Amino acid sequence: MAATTVGRVLSLCRQFQKGLSISTVLPLQQTKVLTACKAQRSAFRPKFCLLHINNMGTSLAQQCRALHTSQWRRGLEAFFDDTPNWGEPTVKSGAPWTAKQLRTKSSEDLHKLWYVLLKEKNMLLTVEQEAKRQRVQMPSPERLTKIERSMKRLDTIVQERENALRLLQTGQERGRPGTWRKDFFGRTFWYRFKEYPIPWYLNRRYKRKRFFTPIFVDSFIRLRIESHLHSKILKKKADLENKRKLQEKFSRFSART
Amino acid sequence: MRLTALLAMAARVKVPPDYRYGTSRPWTVGAQRMNPPGKKRRKVFVEPIQPEEWSLFKGDTVEVLAGKDSGKQGKISQVIRARNWVILEGLNTHYRYIGRSGEYRGTYIASESPLLVREVALVDPSDRKPTQVEWRFTEEGERVRVSLRSGRILPKPVVQRRDGIVPEQWKDGPKDTSPDDALEKTYSASLKTFEEEITGATGVMETRAGRRTFWY
């Protein structure tokens, strides 16, 4: 079982290799897709001819082959793991970054670390997707959780610093403005402002929103309050009953200790 | 069917407040079969033991006080706090078949049953008898378990990490940051925002004034 999974992972990596290697002969399907795009472009802008010189006599695939260089494939190595790790059932990885360690780093360091973590995450997601496609176990999936936790902690620290600065300079607790409003059903909620290019009195969709409660909703509000109070009483009763039952069953233990 | 079951297991499981915890973890297929989303099972009353009072850890040697294997000592292999359960290695077992498929009846194995916390007692290492244990503070201020009969300290058992890593024998890989670099302090408090510091460092001068926007 282990041998077959290793074999499949190896073949998975060999397919990666094939994808990376620069081939002179492009598969026909790709040229078809690309020519479809290029034909559309030339339809919209007839003056600018993408396919240069002799269009007559040569097939579309042959013409595109002349245009295609390896530039659009360079840099995809970042999406793949280091070569020694290909085909391994487990890959060793260290501990994630803790919030305490990240708090000692400057903004530039955090900025750089974010992108390092992001690239590693993309690589691991590629591995995960390919493993799913091959119906094979992903090697060491805990790496993904470690990366996600590190990124979350980094974001938390940046938010902490921004919060502190904003509180100091402006006294505002929230970065995004908002206000308490009543919705159509009489419920009070925190409405968070959105950024618009036009003022509110010119925004037709915004004017259709109703942040007030009509009079005919009052009876329903009363019913809601009644049901909320009733559920509170029921919960209180249930808690008391639970406590009584626990006392009845386990009081002798607490008496003993 | 297996693929959909796997996909269902992927998301973090939300457990209702009256969930009845069993020996399988809530996200496993067996646990979901025992507790499907709509089913309400009879309530089990679990003795409320405060987290500070809890004194049994994985790897501890305990003696069974009640049940089939009473009087025997064993090591704790699993602790289930939600039900005040401990599962000991090889004790309090019943037998069942595992890995059944088609006509093959499966392997006959001994599977351990959980024991309640009150049915086991920690073993005092000095005389290897069961004792009651209390949490006390040492001279240095460390909180330790103390046997009430002999006064001996019961140290917390050292358990191997689940990923098998021994921190003392760890060697950094190519993608790991060295301890010096990780602990190096580069932060200096300033009144600039994160974005201002980054743009200042890269020397990017933003001269465009954005168009006027409205917040509402």
Side-chain angles (χ1 to χ4, degrees):
Chain A
M1 191 63 196
T4 48
T5 47
V6 164
R8 282 169 100 180
V9 173
L10 269 169
S11 64
L12 180 163
C13 295
R14 260 185 234 117
Q15 282 177 8
F16 281 179
Q17 267 180 319
K18 278 195 196 137
L20 272 183
S21 66
I22 299 156
S23 61
T24 47
V25 181
L26 287 166
L28 218 60
Q29 295 96 324
Q30 274 185 312
T31 51
K32 274 198 194 134
V33 167
L34 286 160
T35 49
C37 297
K38 288 210 158 70
Q40 273 181 0
R41 256 194 269 168
S42 52
F44 290 142
R45 294 197 280 174
K47 287 179 198 160
F48 180 51
C49 188
L50 289 162
L51 306 167
H52 61 276
I53 345 167
N54 288 349
N55 294 355
M56 310 300 156
T58 52
S59 74
L60 220 49
Q62 284 174 331
Q63 287 161 23
C64 288
R65 205 174 288 156
L67 279 173
H68 290 154
T69 61
S70 60
Q71 277 162 353
W72 62 278
R73 279 223 197 95
R74 214 182 286 158
L76 282 180
E77 294 91 36
F79 284 104
F80 305 108
D81 209 349
D82 293 341
T83 344
N85 291 339
W86 288 7
E88 299 294 317
T90 51
V91 177
K92 203 174 73 142
S93 57
W97 283 90
T98 61
K100 198 172 164 185
Q101 290 162 0
L102 291 169
R103 275 194 196 99
T104 58
K105 302 296 172 202
S106 65
S107 307
E108 292 166 52
D109 281 350
L110 290 177
H111 190 62
K112 287 175 193 168
L113 181 63
W114 179 266
Y115 286 100
V116 167
L117 291 170
L118 185 67
K119 285 173 76 173
E120 181 71 13
K121 186 167 157 180
N122 286 341
M123 183 274 284
L124 291 170
L125 287 171
T126 318
V127 172
E128 191 187 30
Q129 191 55 41
E130 188 57 29
K132 277 186 193 171
R133 202 169 75 93
Q134 302 280 345
R135 316 275 178 100
V136 152
Q137 283 264 11
M138 177 193 172
S140 311
E142 70 272 3
R143 294 182 285 172
L144 250 179
T145 42
K146 287 178 185 175
I147 294 274
E148 276 162 7
R149 282 177 192 174
S150 304
M151 288 174 92
K152 192 95 199 342
R153 288 165 190 167
L154 210 160
D155 190 40
T156 315
I157 275 119
V158 171
Q159 271 182 27
E160 266 177 21
R161 289 185 189 172
E162 290 197 338
N163 272 352
L165 195 67
R166 190 184 53 246
L167 272 171
L168 185 70
Q169 293 186 328
T170 59
Q172 294 289 329
E173 281 148 12
R174 280 173 256 255
R176 183 166 162 186
T179 181
W180 289 105
R181 279 194 187 162
K182 267 200 194 293
D183 66 1
F184 186 80
F185 301 110
R187 296 174 295 198
T188 314
F189 69 106
W190 180 258
Y191 173 74
R192 284 154 80 232
F193 286 177
K194 256 180 84 171
E195 198 171 14
Y196 296 95
I198 47 170
W200 70 269
Y201 48 85
L202 298 176
N203 195 336
R204 281 187 289 145
R205 198 180 332 134
Y206 179 79
K207 284 192 282 191
R208 271 184 272 137
K209 288 191 197 210
R210 286 167 294 185
F211 294 114
F212 61 89
T213 315
I215 310 165
F216 58 78
V217 182
D218 287 347
S219 55
F220 298 102
I221 294 171
R222 194 195 165 83
L223 287 169
R224 193 169 59 227
I225 291 169
E226 280 172 12
S227 94
H228 168 70
L229 291 170
H230 188 225
S231 66
K232 259 175 71 175
I233 290 163
L234 286 177
K235 187 166 179 301
K236 206 170 183 181
K237 277 190 177 166
D239 283 340
L240 280 170
E241 179 67 22
N242 198 25
K243 234 178 182 174
R244 190 187 66 83
K245 276 258 163 73
L246 283 174
Q247 277 274 20
E248 181 191 308
K249 284 184 195 278
F250 300 118
S251 56
R252 55 179 189 283
F253 292 120
S254 48
R256 202 218 304 178
T257 55
Chain B
M1 185 266 168
R2 250 192 292 156
L3 196 62
T4 45
L6 280 168
L7 288 169
M9 273 162 57
R12 189 191 159 86
V13 162
K14 280 251 160 66
V15 134
D18 55 353
Y19 184 78
R20 187 187 218 182
Y21 287 89
T23 42
S24 340
R25 313 270 171 166
W27 54 84
T28 47
V29 172
Q32 275 162 15
R33 221 184 295 138
M34 294 273 273
N35 291 308
K39 194 170 178 189
K40 277 197 182 286
R41 299 192 59 185
R42 195 176 301 175
K43 185 175 158 75
V44 276
F45 285 93
V46 172
E47 190 195 341
I49 299 182
Q50 299 303 315
E52 319 68 74
E53 255 184 63
W54 189 268
S55 47
L56 293 173
F57 300 104
K58 188 169 149 181
D60 268 334
T61 319
V62 294
E63 184 167 315
V64 184
L65 304 171
K68 201 167 60 149
D69 293 330
S70 61
K72 295 192 189 161
Q73 294 187 356
K75 202 158 86 155
I76 298 176
S77 67
Q78 200 186 352
V79 166
I80 299 168
R81 280 286 277 121
R83 294 285 296 264
N84 287 350
W85 275 345
V86 285
I87 297 179
L88 310 182
E89 273 173 22
L91 291 182
N92 203 25
T93 54
H94 56 272
Y95 298 90
R96 64 185 173 110
Y97 287 98
I98 194 170
R100 236 194 70 168
S101 67
E103 284 308 308
Y104 175 52
R105 62 182 169 202
T107 344
Y108 195 61
I109 59 151
S111 70
E112 299 95 357
S113 223
L115 284 159
L116 279 170
V117 167
R118 296 293 177 193
E119 292 169 2
V120 297
L122 272 169
V123 159
D124 194 340
S126 51
D127 57 357
R128 278 179 288 152
K129 292 261 170 53
T131 54
Q132 297 306 312
V133 157
E134 207 181 39
W135 284 99
R136 288 192 199 149
F137 289 92
T138 58
E139 295 275 314
E140 291 85 39
E142 198 195 327
R143 192 163 170 264
V144 288
R145 301 179 292 183
V146 169
S147 151
L148 286 175
R149 192 176 48 231
S150 63
R152 194 193 184 287
I153 294 173
L154 272 68
K156 205 164 152 182
V158 175
V159 187
Q160 225 194 23
R161 277 168 66 128
R162 224 187 311 173
D163 47 20
I165 294 172
V166 180
E168 288 80 26
Q169 298 164 6
W170 175 259
K171 282 203 178 51
D172 277 341
K175 292 187 179 171
D176 293 325
T177 324
S178 68
D180 301 317
D181 287 335
L183 297 170
E184 185 193 336
K185 188 183 168 192
T186 52
Y187 174 64
S188 57
S190 73
L191 286 174
K192 284 186 162 183
T193 61
F194 187 76
E195 281 121 3
E196 281 171 12
E197 282 192 351
I198 303 288
T199 50
T202 53
V204 172
M205 296 294 291
E206 184 62 62
T207 46
R208 300 173 294 175
R211 64 178 299 147
R212 194 171 153 214
T213 54
F214 303 85
W215 284 86
Y216 51 82

